[in-house]
Amino acid sequence: MDLQMIEEIQKVVNKAEIVDLSYTLEPGMPVWASHARFGAIVYETYDEGDVSYHRQVSYGEHTGTHIDAPRHFFREGAAIDHVKVKAVMGRGVCIDASFLKPCEEYTLDMLKAFEAEYGEIQEGDVILFSFGWEQKYAIGKKGEEFLKDWPGLSEQAAKYLADKKVASVGTDALALDPFGSEKYPSHQVLLGNGIPILENLTNLKKIPVFSYVIGLANKIKDGSGSPIRIIALT
């Protein structure tokens, strides 16, 4: 990369508003019922005379805002350490699906209506579905409503996005398939085509339809997924 390109990138970063699309990892955050909770143990602290402060933290691969690797549903699928770095790096397309009722699906017809208004989804896009579910996110008992009844993406719409060769697909809900799904067709379609899924996104209401999205996961050996820090440059 030459100096001129570096300078151009720096200009963009300096002028952009950066919106954080990730939740803070903390105790009491809502997680899938069978998954590990976030926890932290203090090992050194100033309060006990130590010269530094640090903790041991523990969490599941799908805690908080995270990315699903193909390995999550497919034994031979790519683990998170083999998912391409650019999987969450590209034009972000934020789709408002907050009009859906609990457990409803965002259909292919709805997706085509979106394209008719805003333009076609392109290869390499990072698709972000805003179901309005982040409004239910909360710590502790208050977050129980977040854990049920969310809307999701239909199988046909997922196939359409896979055919478009998008980079990744995300949601502000706990999972991309609607609550109550038993076969997880969107997961099967997208992960089966090597397209990672992003879940538990936040602040989607703060970004426009189009932005530039960057997200980097932890490089976990054989991981089925990873918490991820995602930002949108608007």
Side-chain angles (χ1 to χ4, degrees):
M1 181 180 293
D2 61 30
L3 183 59
Q4 182 178 359
M5 185 177 294
I6 294 171
E7 291 175 346
E8 290 300 318
I9 293 173
Q10 189 62 59
K11 287 179 183 178
V12 171
V13 172
N14 290 343
K15 292 181 179 180
E17 177 185 353
I18 298 177
V19 180
D20 193 345
L21 305 183
S22 303
Y23 286 109
T24 300
L25 291 168
E26 58 182 316
M29 65 192 311
V31 298
W32 193 269
S34 61
H35 288 189
R37 274 57 174 164
F38 177 89
I41 301 173
V42 175
Y43 272 76
E44 291 182 334
T45 173
Y46 312 120
D47 297 334
E48 296 180 1
D50 295 309
V51 298
S52 63
Y53 171 73
H54 93 272
R55 304 180 302 168
Q56 172 187 301
V57 295
S58 62
Y59 48 82
E61 294 174 328
H62 303 268
T63 302
T65 305
H66 65 274
I67 180 171
D68 290 355
R71 177 69 58 85
H72 187 37
F73 271 68
F74 295 90
R75 184 187 297 272
E76 303 303 324
I80 194 62
D81 54 320
H82 290 290
V83 170
K84 294 180 180 179
V85 172
K86 291 184 178 181
V88 192
M89 192 177 296
R91 186 179 75 153
V93 182
C94 188
I95 299 175
D96 181 13
S98 59
F99 57 85
L100 290 175
K101 295 178 182 179
C103 302
E104 284 190 338
E105 289 184 334
Y106 190 87
T107 67
L108 177 57
D109 287 342
M110 295 174 185
L111 189 54
K112 289 185 175 181
F114 171 88
E115 287 188 306
E117 182 174 358
Y118 294 102
E120 289 194 11
I121 289 169
Q122 301 173 7
E123 181 176 346
D125 282 347
V126 178
I127 310 301
L128 310 172
F129 284 97
S130 177
F131 293 107
W133 219 247
E134 62 179 276
Q135 298 176 12
K136 298 179 182 292
Y137 186 94
I139 300 300
K141 295 285 288 184
K142 294 181 179 178
E144 290 182 353
E145 292 299 312
F146 183 78
L147 297 171
K148 61 182 182 180
D149 297 337
W150 61 83
L153 186 66
S154 74
E155 181 177 6
Q156 291 304 314
K159 288 180 178 178
Y160 185 75
L161 293 175
D163 290 341
K164 289 275 189 176
K165 298 182 180 180
V166 299
S168 50
V169 181
T171 172
D172 63 350
L174 195 64
L176 186 60
D177 286 289
F179 180 79
S181 175
E182 296 182 354
K183 296 184 178 180
Y184 306 99
S186 289
H187 279 74
Q188 297 286 347
V189 169
L190 294 171
L191 297 181
N193 281 278
I195 299 172
I197 294 172
L198 312 169
E199 295 170 331
N200 293 340
L201 297 169
T202 187
N203 291 328
L204 295 184
K205 296 295 185 183
K206 296 182 179 180
I207 63 175
V209 172
F210 299 110
S211 62
Y212 194 86
V213 173
I214 300 172
L216 297 173
N218 292 306
K219 195 175 182 181
I220 303 170
K221 179 68 174 177
D222 295 328
S224 68
S226 169
I228 187 171
R229 189 70 179 270
I230 306 177
I231 61 171
L233 283 71
T234 70

